[in-house]
Amino acid sequence: MEKNEITQEIKGAQCVMGIEFGSTRIKAVLINSQFEPVASGSFEWENSLENGIWTYPLELIEKGLQSCYADLKRAVREQFGVVLTSLKSLGISAMMHGYIALDSKDKFLVPFRTWRNTVTAQASRELSGLFSFPVPERWTISHLYQAILNNEAHVADIRSLCTLASYIHFRLTGEKNIGTGDASGMFPIDSKTGTYRTDFLGQFESLIAARNFSWKTEQLLPHVLPAGKNAGFLTESGARLLDPEGDLHSGIPLCPPEGDAGTGMAATNSVRKRTGNISAGTSVFAMAVLEKDLASSYPGIIDIVTTPDGLPVAMVHANNCTSEINSWIYFFEDVLQTAGLKAQRSVLFDSLILKSLEAQKDCGNLLAYNYHSGETITGFSSGRPLFVRGENAQFTAANFMRVQMFTALGALRSGMDILFEKENVQIESMAGAGGYFKTEAGLKYMAAALHTPVSAMETAGEGGPWGMALLASYMQDGGGASLAEFLDKSVFSSCKKTVSSPEKELEESFTIFYERYKKGLAIERAAVESI
């Protein structure tokens, strides 16, 4: 679309915005009527470990929202000479799961507990057994029940529970609504009714009945809405929260807030049965849209969530992916600066990761673990990043970088083995998004690790916030089509993508590494116990 056409769409409030709160960045993307990104804004942030809890303070959440929007607003003004005052629609997304407990005045009772926390093992284990359904440590209900088990005083004062996305949506609209996909990370969803499973709610109420709380769990949870439904309108206070400068008008419709898994599915056109997607950044998760329920339950390894429109999805989630790669790149950058040399960070990333394609098949007998936090799939409640090499190791840059890229997929592979080998889940296509796929090496390694062709779309770089904008567009322009039909025909009909099929040599290389990875978990366990 030509610049003057985009300018007119911005002036005429025909553009749509998606905002996603990721683990290390909050990003906003503005799209035109052709679903093309026309402007973006971002805010860098990082979680902190406070009193044993991974969290983001409320002040930083609010600052990040405003700074991200201000950055996009500035980009619109500089690129198109227009002050952004209104939108056709808007959607909010964030990292899934976690725990935000609000009191009767909608104030935080305790700091936000993110998905990264692995302090709910007892709750997860007991609820998974009670329901005969996998309830991960990350889920909101696990956090709630663990707080009950811990006799935390704030529990009696809870009046509502939120994910980060549904909380921001509430602040903007005054409505405590949530998208189906994000809701499936709070409490199990019944795909037939599109809301929380009433049988499990009843079982949970019986479990905690002796506590005599004044609330019922269902009353605490936000109202579930599928993709395509209206979830509220931007209030005047919401507009001022988003744009303190006062230029943004109220009344903008918002779609149901979604989790990053749902936006990843939308952004990769992976909402049909037998499709799947992989989001690989700070954490990594693979989603497979199921044709039927799994034969068995795999607590702590495979979660059951939903697409934004309610289809069941098997989700393998690993807490750690690219953080350790980032740490090493920053270290190498520091080394160069210490020597008085300069290297652009993006060049360092690309050149070193591409160098890994030259590695020896056995990675030179090197081993690494990227556990910045616990890793449920492999049985760790906390983590220690490690790099280990044998006596006769070939310690080269290529071998070192390949082992770092491989270890980012180690836990993921453990879960995917169950889906493919034990459950015989059939996937026709897997689409990748996230920082791991920034170079062709990432695409090649993922295909080798999963023994499956993996594609990256030209739009993948915009990721979750673009996917959220698509869901906001679907609410306005879906025209009665299913979400899959809307994405197929309106958005992705002419989208270009790069497909990487598994290469035999890389598959063999990953297999050698993976066997070493499994045996070496004892080293990681010793590090957790000793350091």
Side-chain angles (χ1 to χ4, degrees):
M1 184 177 286
E2 296 296 328
K3 181 177 180 179
N4 64 324
E5 294 177 291
I6 297 172
T7 302
Q8 292 305 312
E9 287 199 346
I10 295 172
K11 289 181 177 179
Q14 294 303 301
C15 288
V16 173
M17 184 168 65
I19 300 177
E20 182 159 284
F21 286 69
S23 301
T24 58
R25 181 175 65 161
I26 305 170
K27 185 175 181 180
V29 170
L30 189 71
I31 66 173
N32 60 22
S33 60
Q34 300 300 309
F35 314 107
E36 300 166 331
V38 298
S40 64
S42 64
F43 175 79
E44 303 292 327
W45 71 343
E46 186 57 79
N47 55 187
S48 56
L49 188 63
E50 304 290 340
N51 299 315
I53 296 294
W54 289 104
T55 188
Y56 299 86
L58 176 59
E59 298 77 15
L60 189 59
I61 293 171
E62 294 176 344
K63 177 184 177 182
L65 176 68
Q66 294 172 351
S67 298
C68 174
Y69 178 79
D71 196 32
L72 181 141
K73 182 181 176 183
R74 181 168 50 253
V76 169
R77 185 172 60 248
E78 292 176 353
Q79 294 174 48
F80 303 101
V82 177
V83 175
L84 189 60
T85 60
S86 192
L87 300 160
K88 188 174 185 178
S89 56
L90 166 64
I92 299 295
S93 174
M95 54 194 120
M96 285 180 70
H97 319 300
Y99 181 77
I100 294 177
L102 304 178
D103 65 13
S104 59
K105 296 182 179 180
D106 296 316
K107 303 298 183 183
F108 278 35
L109 286 165
V110 291
F112 169 41
R113 300 174 180 180
T114 78
W115 60 269
R116 197 170 193 175
N117 290 287
T118 53
V119 295
T120 60
Q122 181 183 357
S124 171
R125 183 173 59 254
E126 291 186 15
L127 292 177
S128 296
L130 177 69
F131 299 155
S132 295
F133 183 95
V135 179
E137 295 177 5
R138 304 181 305 279
W139 282 21
T140 307
I141 191 62
S142 291
H143 281 279
L144 173 63
Y145 186 45
Q146 191 67 54
I148 293 172
L149 293 174
N150 295 344
N151 295 310
E152 295 186 38
H154 80 272
V155 175
D157 298 322
I158 299 174
R159 292 299 176 267
S160 59
L161 294 170
C162 303
T163 61
L164 181 56
S166 62
Y167 174 73
I168 298 297
H169 180 89
F170 164 65
R171 292 288 303 276
L172 296 180
T173 66
E175 302 285 348
K176 291 179 179 176
N177 292 325
I178 190 169
T180 309
D182 201 22
S184 69
M186 296 189 78
F187 195 91
I189 291 290
D190 186 335
S191 291
K192 295 179 181 178
T193 65
T195 190
Y196 307 108
R197 287 194 52 166
T198 55
D199 53 341
F200 291 169
L201 284 168
Q203 290 175 325
F204 185 70
E205 290 300 331
S206 297
L207 178 66
I208 64 172
R211 304 277 182 161
N212 293 315
F213 294 120
S214 62
W215 46 259
K216 297 295 184 184
T217 309
E218 190 170 14
Q219 298 169 346
L220 304 182
L221 298 169
H223 179 61
V224 184
L225 293 171
K229 296 293 185 180
N230 177 277
F233 296 88
L234 186 67
T235 62
E236 187 60 36
S237 62
R240 295 294 71 78
L241 173 64
L242 192 56
D243 182 17
E245 292 180 336
D247 294 314
L248 187 64
H249 298 166
S250 60
I252 297 169
L254 273 78
C255 68
E258 263 301 341
D260 50 1
T263 59
M265 285 185 264
T268 56
N269 195 22
S270 304
V271 299
R272 287 187 182 276
K273 295 177 181 179
R274 296 173 70 98
T275 63
N277 75 291
I278 306 157
S279 176
T282 303
S283 64
V284 57
F285 52 83
M287 320 284 290
V289 185
L290 299 174
E291 296 179 278
K292 60 181 181 179
D293 293 338
L294 299 182
S296 300
S297 175
Y298 305 94
I301 300 176
I302 298 174
D303 310 343
I304 302 298
V305 293
T306 75
T307 62
D309 55 346
L311 291 177
V313 176
M315 176 182 185
V316 177
H317 181 285
N319 289 339
N320 302 280
C321 186
T322 60
S323 292
E324 183 67 350
I325 298 170
N326 295 343
S327 296
W328 281 107
I329 297 296
Y330 302 155
F331 171 77
F332 294 141
E333 182 182 41
D334 189 34
V335 170
L336 290 173
Q337 290 175 348
T338 301
L341 303 173
K342 290 184 178 180
Q344 190 174 349
R345 183 175 292 177
S346 62
V347 174
L348 262 181
F349 267 102
D350 293 352
S351 58
L352 284 172
I353 289 173
L354 288 173
K355 180 70 174 178
S356 69
L357 292 172
E358 302 173 15
Q360 295 169 276
K361 184 181 288 188
D362 67 350
C363 297
N365 198 29
L366 307 182
L367 178 61
Y369 291 94
N370 63 335
Y371 291 10
H372 278 233
S373 63
E375 196 59 81
T376 306
I377 291 178
T378 50
F380 289 85
S381 59
S382 64
R384 303 292 184 273
L386 286 180
F387 171 63
V388 184
R389 55 194 174 109
E391 290 178 311
N392 298 317
Q394 300 298 306
F395 191 15
T396 66
N399 288 336
F400 179 83
M401 289 308 301
R402 181 177 290 189
V403 83
Q404 296 297 336
M405 292 293 285
F406 276 178
T407 200
L409 308 181
L412 176 71
R413 168 65 181 270
S414 298
M416 295 303 291
D417 278 351
I418 292 174
L419 282 184
F420 291 147
E421 296 175 10
K422 291 187 177 182
E423 292 287 343
N424 196 31
V425 171
Q426 301 296 311
I427 298 295
E428 295 174 355
S429 62
M430 292 288 280
Y436 188 85
F437 299 104
K438 191 172 182 291
T439 70
E440 64 174 324
L443 207 59
K444 288 176 178 287
Y445 293 149
M446 188 68 77
L450 302 188
H451 306 300
T452 304
V454 179
S455 65
M457 299 181 182
E458 62 180 356
T459 52
E462 298 298 344
W466 182 68
M468 192 66 241
L470 295 182
L471 293 173
S473 295
Y474 175 59
M475 176 187 68
Q476 295 294 78
D477 301 320
S482 69
L483 178 59
E485 291 170 340
F486 172 75
L487 294 175
D488 278 344
K489 297 177 181 179
S490 299
V491 181
F492 291 99
S493 59
S494 59
C495 182
K496 296 179 181 178
K497 63 182 180 181
T498 301
V499 180
S500 182
S501 295
E503 298 177 12
K504 182 179 179 181
E505 185 172 351
L506 290 181
E507 282 188 303
E508 292 172 349
S509 179
F510 188 86
T511 297
I512 294 170
F513 162 80
Y514 186 54
E515 291 303 314
R516 187 181 302 136
Y517 176 92
K518 289 187 290 185
K519 291 178 181 177
L521 286 171
I523 306 171
E524 174 69 18
R525 200 167 303 282
V528 171
E529 294 171 355
S530 304
I531 300 177

